[in-house]
Amino acid sequence: MHAHQHGLRLDSQGCLVYHRWVPRTILPEDLPDIARGCSVLGAGGGGEAYTATLKALQAIEDHGPLRLVDFDELPGDGIVMSCGLLGAPTVTIEKLGSGHEGLHLREEVERLFGSEVVALMCAEIGGSNGMEPFAWASRMGLPVLDADGMGRAFPEVQMITMELAGIPAGPAVVVDERGHRVVIREAHGKWAERLERAIAIAVGGIAASAEYTMTVEQARHSTVPGTVSLARRIGLAISRAESDPVAAVIETTGAGRLMRGKVVDVEQHFGDGFVRGLATIEGTGADAGRTMTIDIQNEYLVARLDGAVKATVPDIITLLDEQTGEAIHTERLKYGQRLVVIVIPCAPVWRSEIGLQTAGPKAFGHDLPYVPVEELVPGTGAWPGLDVGDASP
Amino acid sequence: MSELSAASAGAMAAPRRLDLRLGIDVGGTNTDAVVLDRSDALLAKAKVTTSADVSSGIEAAVDAVLADGAVDRARVGHVMLGTTHATNAILERRSLHRVGILRLGAPAALTIRPLLTWPQDLVEVVSGGVATVAGGIELDGREIVPLDTDAVRAFATSLQGAIDAIAITSVFAPVSPRHELAAAEVAQEALGEGVHVSMSHELGALGILERENSTVLNGALLGVARDVAGSLAESLARRGLDAALYFAQNDGTLMALEHAVRFPVLTIGSGPANSIRGAAYLTGREDGIVVDVGGTSTDIGVLVNGFPRESSQAVEIGGVRTNFRMPDIVSIAVGGGTIVRRGALGPDSVAWRIREEALAFGGSTPTLTDAALAAGRTAGIGSSTPGAVHAELLREGLAAADLAVADAIDRVKTSRAEAPLIAVGGGSVVLPETIPGASEIMRPDHHDVANAIGAAIAKVSGSAEEVVTFQQRGHAEAVQEISARAGAAAVAAGADPERVEVVDVEETPITYLMEPGARIRVKAAGPLVTS
């Protein structure tokens, strides 16, 4: 059913071949495209991937190309380390990291689980965390798994597909650049978030963490597969578009197109560590006369067109620059920007009952029923990646 | 200082008055000069073509404006210069210092090495050696780890005789400069007084990579700055001017010569800021939209509290990403010389050849100036009237220009409310009587030299920045303390202590921390101390 999204194509002999993208290595020239794709999947959140891109660039320059692997290329009982950075973006632009964080996480994880880590995985493909593990993996000579735990960006640790699959967050490991290593033996749901964040603040506002550690076999059934490739495909669509990068993103993702317009108001307030706000966008061109509002809490959460809800979290509401097709992060949103609002359907696992409990509109304080974007916006395709379990042989 | 030397030189004569100011702005096409009197009234103005070496164009503009009978050169006490010397030196990789590059950031900032993204040819010219040693500050001002002064000394010693300057950057230096200051002392001792020290906390703003890049570029420009300042001071003296020299910065304020030779990187990009400040002065407005129409392009910026609104985007200079705070400018290819074709407007322009090629001057190329003449928006330019054969083309071209200008104005606005619009620049005759979104359009006298006037009337500024958590102290208290530091910085740069005021408070909340916090940046400015 996902034949198109899987990327089936005919090879020169006329045989059907399954591919995502070739080659299965990440080279320096791939990084800007992956970063663009991560931003699009970030739904406005996850932070900008500029420093993560440079860290990966330096690591690949120093240690050679990074391997990107599928489940089938790894031993089923090997350990997948889901990891990323946790903390304030303001700090990540000063404290770039020691580069050893990945190694320290891995040593602790291997000690705790008594088995070898065979691949790193980004916990969150959306925003900068989609690329943070690249440099760590490259330095250790480990591959990166072509999958993640969100298929987008979310603000909290436990909003992750492994939580839905019943994989425990603990033992979780948090390390800093000095070499401090903290193990949280046991932590469930929101407690993983609270405890890890407290540690991140104690060590100076940013820390690296690994939680929801699992085997390759478990990961196959509890992550969103193919998302690094998906990010790269989206980025390539933008950078290679000849005339209309926004249309190229829509074509690549099957996104629903909500409106073309201009930001006429951005109201943001800050408290309890999160950014909340409301953006108002006035339609332009064929959409003139219509008004869209978008609720923001770090990510874009709810989009309403002339008052009617057209999309909600966990579907991926993304704002693209009308000219360049680049995603506009919530912190960069300002009056006068010309953009196109699109919605990429989320990975189907988020639409389960537990998925919506964990990261549906109500989990963010919006008392709204969740309706899949395909039912609200005609012409919207399906989730452009694979779904949990789709990578089963 | 100037008056003192004047008094001692002419003890017999009546005390000389040094009440005139000479403003100079170097643009891509023209170098403009103006002389203003004590009450800021314009006495003389001049426009010459910018020279390849910049300096001789400046001298020509000074000669031209001093030739005006209204100017008594003996009374010129201050010269304010907005120049492109530093930009050109970086773009052309010319006369740059060799710089030792020291980061105080192990282990917190090792994953992206200094100069990683620099163009290789610039690295080869500028880099005299790179090291990252233990040190750095946390967001809250604590040490990440103690500074490794032995490593600083070893690095500096290894570069003896090989570098002209050293650039020192610590993690979170804008929060506390103490590691940079300590390292600078050690490095200076090892390298001797002949080597200049450039420190990142003096160049502000969070974002270690961009701040470090700016600090290294600043170190590389120190030689250019010293040479330019020396030769300009000498050439002014040769012209009989006994004046203090000031340099315009990219934020629309001035720094004294002594400051400029230490922070030459801040002179980059002063042109647009000067034009916006000049527009403010010419109209007496503090807020509005400034539309500067030249021969080839139109720059649109926003005036907020008398200063240009700054861009939040990183600015690249010569392929290097920096933390410079440039005015937020939208540029479009609409100018007096823009060529009008069927179905297309520009983007090319006849530029300085307008007096030969435009229809109004008997040429054969329809331009926007011709369109403005045909539409009756201006008169008295050139000798001939564009013929009826071009009427429809010119009408369409002007309509396209009006749309492009209106669209660009809308892009720079910060709210839906209508705003006053100030039109400056030689090409501004092409603008219509009304523009959507503009409450009024002002066309002040002398708008053609608004940029040089902007340099002449500019204030002296200083800024300070800090990361604050509001549980430690109240919000108002924090802003007050940071404002006091910004004011002190302005006074140190030459502002009148009695008249310094806060002109901008920028607050960026810090997310994902449990206690509410923010980065607060304050800019203060005041008029020059004049005796």
Side-chain angles (χ1 to χ4, degrees):
Chain A
M1 107 186 191
H2 288 299
H4 173 70
Q5 284 79 24
H6 278 231
L8 289 172
R9 66 174 167 86
L10 295 176
D11 72 5
S12 54
Q13 272 81 44
C15 296
L16 266 182
V17 279
Y18 172 81
H19 79 121
R20 291 191 193 127
W21 53 281
V22 176
R24 303 291 290 170
T25 51
I26 295 172
L27 302 171
E29 55 267 35
D30 298 319
L31 298 171
D33 281 329
I34 298 174
R36 286 188 185 96
C38 289
S39 286
V40 170
L41 291 172
E48 296 193 26
Y50 179 69
T51 53
T53 305
L54 295 188
K55 290 175 201 176
L57 173 69
Q58 173 167 324
I60 292 172
E61 273 186 16
D62 292 352
H63 303 276
L66 176 64
R67 277 190 307 138
L68 184 70
V69 295
D70 289 323
F71 302 101
D72 296 343
E73 298 170 59
L74 300 170
D77 58 355
I79 295 281
V80 174
M81 186 170 90
S82 173
C83 51
L85 287 183
L86 177 94
T90 315
V91 180
T92 63
I93 60 172
E94 286 286 329
K95 295 176 77 175
L96 306 172
S98 72
H100 298 300
E101 291 88 348
L103 177 67
H104 295 161
L105 288 174
R106 174 197 180 184
E107 285 175 357
E108 289 310 309
V109 163
E110 289 183 344
R111 210 191 314 271
L112 290 159
F113 288 84
S115 183
E116 244 178 69
V117 169
V118 294
L120 304 195
M121 183 187 87
C122 53
E124 171 185 42
I125 191 70
S128 60
N129 259 338
M131 297 178 78
E132 284 294 344
F134 285 15
W136 298 334
S138 170
R139 284 161 164 266
M140 293 188 279
L142 281 176
V144 164
L145 182 63
D146 190 3
D148 82 306
M150 298 184 189
R152 51 163 294 152
F154 278 126
E156 297 184 15
V157 169
Q158 81 286 354
M159 294 175 171
I160 197 158
T161 54
M162 291 87 88
E163 172 81 18
L164 311 186
I167 293 175
V173 184
V174 185
V175 305
D176 74 356
E177 72 282 358
R178 303 171 185 81
H180 291 128
R181 305 171 184 205
V182 180
V183 174
I184 303 170
R185 284 262 167 204
E186 192 147 334
H188 296 283
K190 289 199 172 188
W191 278 104
E193 160 72 22
R194 286 178 196 143
L195 294 169
E196 290 190 10
R197 198 166 295 283
I199 296 163
I201 289 167
V203 299
I206 195 85
S209 72
E211 55 286 300
Y212 298 99
T213 300
M214 61 202 150
T215 64
V216 173
E217 205 43 48
Q218 284 176 306
R220 194 193 285 279
H221 300 287
S222 58
T223 62
V224 189
T227 44
V228 179
S229 305
L230 174 62
R232 183 171 182 271
R233 280 209 307 280
I234 296 170
L236 270 176
I238 295 170
S239 63
R240 292 202 180 156
E242 274 169 20
S243 57
D244 189 349
V246 171
V249 172
I250 290 174
E251 194 187 334
T252 304
T253 57
R257 183 185 171 287
L258 283 188
M259 198 176 79
R260 176 182 298 268
K262 186 185 95 169
V263 180
V264 293
D265 191 40
V266 185
E267 179 199 311
Q268 298 207 61
H269 38 269
F270 308 86
D272 62 6
F274 296 114
V275 184
R276 291 194 172 82
L278 186 74
T280 308
I281 299 164
E282 235 170 51
T284 55
D287 291 314
R290 320 186 81 176
T291 302
M292 174 158 282
T293 60
I294 299 183
D295 289 281
I296 302 168
Q297 182 189 322
N298 294 25
E299 281 87 36
Y300 302 118
L301 293 185
V302 181
R304 290 182 176 86
L305 186 59
D306 296 327
V309 173
K310 287 290 171 187
T312 69
V313 68
D315 286 328
I316 303 164
I317 301 168
T318 284
L319 277 50
L320 304 180
D321 182 290
E322 174 185 86
Q323 302 284 328
T324 66
E326 305 262 355
I328 301 169
H329 290 256
T330 52
E331 65 263 35
R332 286 223 184 266
L333 198 62
K334 62 176 187 188
Y335 176 91
Q337 275 164 332
R338 309 302 174 91
L339 43 80
V340 178
V341 183
I342 67 166
V343 186
I344 303 172
C346 64
V349 63
W350 289 115
R351 296 174 170 185
S352 63
E353 198 184 327
I354 183 176
L356 292 172
Q357 265 170 29
T358 307
K362 291 192 176 72
F364 294 92
H366 289 268
D367 192 17
L368 293 170
Y370 170 74
V371 182
V373 60
E374 302 91 300
E375 294 171 27
L376 297 170
V377 183
T380 307
W383 161 245
L386 306 169
D387 192 22
V388 171
D390 270 5
S392 309
Chain B
M1 184 174 83
S2 308
E3 285 203 323
L4 273 179
S5 58
S8 56
M12 298 296 291
R16 277 170 53 196
R17 285 189 300 162
L18 287 161
D19 56 352
L20 303 186
R21 276 170 297 142
L22 172 55
I24 307 160
D25 185 82
V26 180
T29 312
N30 291 313
T31 298
D32 299 343
V34 296
V35 174
L36 304 186
D37 71 11
R38 178 167 228 121
S39 60
D40 290 342
L42 184 99
L43 294 183
K45 61 181 177 182
K47 216 178 233 310
V48 305
T49 303
T50 296
S51 62
D53 70 338
V54 181
S55 292
S56 59
I58 292 173
E59 290 176 4
V62 170
D63 286 338
V65 79
L66 291 180
D68 192 303
V71 178
D72 173 3
R73 67 179 65 199
R75 282 170 54 195
V76 175
H78 298 87
V79 174
M80 289 82 168
L81 173 65
T83 180
T84 53
H85 278 102
T87 314
N88 292 356
I90 293 171
L91 296 181
E92 296 161 17
R93 281 85 165 109
R94 192 169 37 79
S95 322
L96 296 174
H97 264 352
R98 196 160 281 282
V99 183
I101 296 147
L102 177 62
R103 186 188 288 175
L104 315 177
L110 290 170
T111 48
I112 304 171
R113 58 176 157 262
L115 315 188
L116 179 70
T117 58
W118 281 44
Q120 195 50 41
D121 62 332
L122 189 57
V123 173
E124 279 160 19
V125 173
V126 169
S127 176
V130 179
T132 300
V133 306
I137 303 293
E138 296 278 16
L139 175 74
D140 61 4
R142 288 177 292 164
E143 273 182 350
I144 299 174
V145 293
L147 175 67
D148 185 348
T149 47
D150 290 343
V152 172
R153 190 175 296 107
F155 175 65
T157 306
S158 75
L159 297 181
Q160 265 172 354
I163 55 170
D164 309 296
I166 186 165
I168 303 176
T169 307
S170 138
V171 174
F172 275 121
V175 171
S176 164
R178 63 189 196 274
H179 278 186
E180 287 188 357
L181 292 168
E185 201 179 316
V186 172
Q188 191 86 73
E189 192 186 292
L191 288 162
E193 291 301 317
V195 170
H196 298 274
V197 179
S198 174
M199 285 178 281
S200 88
H201 72 272
E202 298 176 316
L203 295 160
L206 293 184
I208 189 169
L209 298 173
E210 292 81 4
R211 190 175 69 250
E212 178 177 73
N213 287 345
S214 302
T215 308
V216 176
L217 287 180
N218 191 60
L221 287 167
L222 289 168
V224 173
R226 210 182 36 217
D227 293 350
V228 169
S231 76
L232 278 174
E234 190 190 317
S235 97
L236 293 176
R238 234 179 10 247
R239 284 166 173 75
L241 297 180
D242 178 20
L245 187 53
Y246 292 84
F247 285 80
Q249 309 183 64
N250 52 32
D251 66 355
T253 63
L254 295 173
M255 39 184 183
L257 176 77
E258 312 84 72
H259 206 69
V261 297
R262 287 177 57 215
F263 304 109
V265 80
L266 299 176
T267 65
I268 290 174
S270 62
N274 282 341
S275 155
I276 293 171
R277 290 275 303 147
Y281 166 71
L282 288 171
T283 55
R285 295 300 179 104
E286 293 274 296
D287 296 279
I289 293 169
V290 178
V291 182
D292 186 352
V293 190
T296 310
S297 65
T298 294
D299 288 345
I300 299 168
V302 183
L303 181 66
V304 182
N305 294 329
F307 284 86
R309 185 178 79 206
E310 294 177 340
S311 168
S312 58
Q313 303 286 328
V315 177
E316 270 196 16
I317 307 287
V320 176
R321 192 163 140 137
T322 68
N323 65 349
F324 301 139
R325 308 280 305 188
M326 298 289 196
D328 199 357
I329 298 285
V330 172
S331 286
I332 52 172
V334 169
T338 300
I339 299 171
V340 182
R341 297 187 187 86
R342 191 151 300 280
L345 177 65
D348 48 342
S349 162
V350 296
W352 54 270
R353 300 182 310 275
I354 192 164
R355 291 180 173 280
E356 293 143 37
E357 299 190 7
L359 299 177
F361 292 94
S364 59
T365 309
T367 65
L368 276 180
T369 299
D370 298 314
L373 282 163
R377 289 184 184 175
T378 185
I381 296 176
S383 48
S384 49
T385 314
V389 61
H390 294 294
E392 194 194 333
L393 175 75
L394 292 175
R395 206 163 39 238
E396 282 174 11
L398 202 57
D402 289 354
L403 266 181
V405 169
D407 185 67
I409 287 170
D410 197 49
R411 278 168 194 270
V412 302
K413 282 172 69 179
T414 47
S415 79
R416 255 185 284 202
E418 290 197 329
L421 194 147
I422 307 166
V424 299
S428 57
V429 293
V430 308
L431 297 176
E433 283 300 307
T434 59
I435 294 178
S439 56
E440 59 179 313
I441 302 178
M442 285 167 277
R443 300 164 191 269
D445 287 345
H446 308 306
H447 63 79
D448 55 326
V449 288
N451 45 6
I453 292 173
I457 52 107
K459 293 178 176 176
V460 182
S461 74
S463 63
E465 176 176 328
E466 198 176 322
V467 175
V468 176
T469 52
F470 299 124
Q471 274 166 7
Q472 294 161 6
R473 56 188 158 155
H475 180 265
E477 193 190 339
V479 170
Q480 202 172 19
E481 279 176 31
I482 299 164
S483 300
R485 280 171 41 211
V491 170
D496 183 344
E498 305 294 316
R499 291 156 76 192
V500 168
E501 25 174 54
V502 169
V503 293
D504 187 40
V505 178
E506 181 192 283
E507 206 170 316
T508 313
I510 297 173
T511 53
Y512 292 104
L513 288 182
M514 275 169 179
E515 43 186 316
R519 171 162 67 96
I520 299 176
R521 185 173 172 275
V522 178
K523 188 159 84 187
L528 276 170
V529 179
T530 48
S531 39

